[in-house]
Amino acid sequence: MTQLAQSGGLQGSNPVINISIFVAFVVVTLVVVLRASRTTKTASDYYAAGRAFSGPQNGIAISGDYLSAASFLGIVGAIALYGYDGFLYSIGFLVAWLVALLLVAELLRNTGKFTMGDVLAFRMRQRPVRAAAATSTLAVSFFYLLAQMAGAGVLVSLLLGISNPVGVSLVIAVVGVIMIIYVLVGGMKGTTWVQIIKAGLLIAGAGAMTLWVLAKYGFDFSALLQGAVDKAGADGQRLLEPGAKYGTSEISKLDFLSLGLALVLGTAGLPHVLMRFYTVPTSREARRSVVWAIFLIGLFYLFSLVLGYGAAAMVGPETISQAPGASNSAAPLLAQALGGPVLLGFISAVAFATILAVVAGLTITASASFAHDIYANVIKKGEVSDKQAEVRVARITAVVIGAVAIVGGILARNQNVAFLVALAFAVAASANLPTILYSLFWKRFNTTGALCSIYGGLGIAILLIVFSPAVSGSETAMLSGVDFQWFPLENPGLVSIPASFFLGWLGTVLSGEHDEAKYAEMEVRSLTGAGAEKASSH
């Protein structure tokens, strides 16, 4: 705590209150997960919550799954420091849901069963495309998990006053163990209820802080903006104009375009988001769930605009940038300025709850993909005699993934994790989305095209990020002491996404094989839902 107090960051924080509120959340959610486990018996229960959730319930859970700690802490901090440019993150994340609603949600629910591999395998050779889909899913999930676990380490040192490496590592391990328990015991049903509770807490907490901030300025948003400008000093006007983060150089403009492309297209390819569409009974409920998610996520991002400028006005960009965790401390510092240690304790608990809910969703997605696609359909060739064997493999996989995430989070606790999130979105947009869209809408698309698109998009995205300024050659790079970067953009989306679409087209055209009858059947099912329940019942 001494280190934090000396830094001028979260002085006055009360770790006892923070931990108490967090423990209360964990106890309540564990009780909910245990109750949910009583009805988790079949593979459909474990992977898709028995398809028992309504559209509104699933929409709330999707918002809980999607609004990660990066959304809460990162965007508020970005707006507080960069104003206009920071809010562009919110716009990208929200607009992405229109792509999911119009092109993916309903069609995916009608066609698939548990995973993305189901959609691809419907009209292609089962084993190679399932292996490719599982590889892509595990890659996206792992890097997203790593970022969340490393983020937990940052939050620990920032909010609970634990600054020594052993203490931070211990809390990362505790977060990982709790997450594994959620997944093992409750499956998708328990995880969904955790996400619903967390979404309610996060949106309610952000809403209360928003009203509090606006009340301080007489519910006059213009007065709030003026307060932010005044607090920022001589160059405060830059908070209201574009260019504070992404300058006027050509590389900056291309980097912004690349990031925006990855954010807008990546969401519809994120495996843990796609899997949520299988937890509802009909395609109509899948559509409703996305509408609810868009409303709640949009509402939260409007709150983030007020909170970001509120932090700039009440705390100040200089204080935020000098605090432990820099921009990530904007929301906690604002909470402390508004309501003291108690509100700070609630917000810190919500931040931890956010991490728990997101990593639980990622873990069950990765374990389901391995058990259903690799074990059941590649290794066992779709002939699993024991119906419970697949669920057992999924649970074992969840433990392994959880352990790897804990170790990775501990190793990366002091690293820049922004590139990990960028990598997850870039891989999802590069490997998953082109393949899904081609499968749903292009009748000539075939197995060779799918493999070229997935492995090509995955390989290109990872290669370009490894040799980008996000990893080496810049002050904010993960490996700050070395310089082997040659790709100028921090996010590879501008190159890797079109390349993946091109490779999918090229592989399809060169191989020439396709099954028009299967495509016709898939098209009818995806658009009407005819036969979808039969596909999900065996």
Side-chain angles (χ1 to χ4, degrees), residues 150-470:
V154 172
L155 276 170
V156 170
S157 58
L158 180 69
L159 301 169
L160 301 185
I162 302 173
S163 56
N164 67 79
V166 176
V168 173
S169 300
L170 183 62
V171 177
I172 290 175
V174 169
V175 170
V177 169
I178 295 171
M179 169 264 293
I180 292 171
I181 292 171
Y182 283 157
V183 174
L184 287 184
V185 176
M188 180 58 89
K189 194 169 289 186
T191 301
T192 299
W193 281 114
V194 170
Q195 289 163 344
I196 288 173
I197 294 169
K198 168 252 165 165
L201 283 174
L202 180 61
I203 293 171
M209 286 178 63
T210 298
L211 291 174
W212 204 332
V213 168
L214 288 174
K216 292 269 187 182
Y217 291 87
F219 292 95
D220 184 349
F221 188 60
S222 295
L224 172 62
L225 294 179
Q226 189 59 51
V229 170
D230 294 342
K231 187 78 171 182
D235 60 344
Q237 190 63 30
R238 71 185 179 86
L239 292 176
L240 307 182
E241 300 169 351
K245 180 172 175 60
Y246 296 98
T248 55
S249 71
E250 291 304 315
I251 291 296
S252 294
K253 291 177 181 177
L254 287 175
D255 218 353
F256 170 67
L257 183 62
S258 188
L259 176 67
L261 195 64
L263 294 182
V264 169
L265 297 180
T267 296
L270 289 175
H272 64 295
V273 171
L274 295 177
M275 196 167 171
R276 291 235 53 89
F277 298 139
Y278 297 126
T279 63
V280 291
T282 64
S283 59
R284 179 176 178 271
E285 292 299 308
R287 207 163 52 240
R288 287 182 71 203
S289 65
V290 178
V291 172
W292 271 79
I294 289 173
F295 170 74
L296 292 172
I297 293 167
L299 185 65
F300 176 81
Y301 286 144
L302 286 178
F303 291 161
S304 73
L305 180 65
V306 175
L307 296 179
Y309 278 113
M314 298 182 67
V315 180
E318 187 177 348
T319 304
I320 292 168
S321 60
Q322 292 175 357
S327 64
N328 289 333
S329 65
L333 285 170
L334 176 61
Q336 189 174 15
L338 288 171
V342 175
L343 185 58
L344 174 62
F346 176 76
I347 293 303
S348 65
V350 167
F352 273 111
T354 295
I355 287 178
L356 274 177
V358 173
V359 296
L362 286 164
T363 303
I364 195 166
T365 300
S367 63
S369 184
F370 180 84
H372 184 64
D373 290 326
I374 300 293
Y375 171 76
N377 288 288
V378 175
I379 297 174
K380 292 292 186 179
K381 302 180 182 178
E383 298 174 2
V384 183
S385 55
D386 181 1
K387 294 295 183 184
Q388 290 300 311
E390 193 178 318
V391 176
R392 280 200 300 274
V393 170
R395 287 187 161 126
I396 293 168
T397 308
V399 174
V400 174
I401 290 169
V404 171
I406 290 170
V407 173
I410 290 171
L411 293 175
R413 67 183 183 276
N414 295 322
Q415 301 290 354
N416 181 325
V417 296
F419 88 100
L420 293 172
V421 176
L423 180 56
F425 269 83
V427 170
S430 302
N432 295 351
L433 187 65
T435 315
I436 291 170
L437 293 182
Y438 276 148
S439 295
L440 291 172
F441 298 109
W442 189 21
K443 67 180 179 182
R444 286 190 61 190
F445 194 53
N446 56 33
T447 304
T448 305
L451 298 180
C452 290
S453 182
I454 292 177
Y455 288 128
L458 180 66
I460 291 170
I462 292 177
L463 179 71
L464 293 183
I465 284 192
V466 165
F467 293 102
S468 77

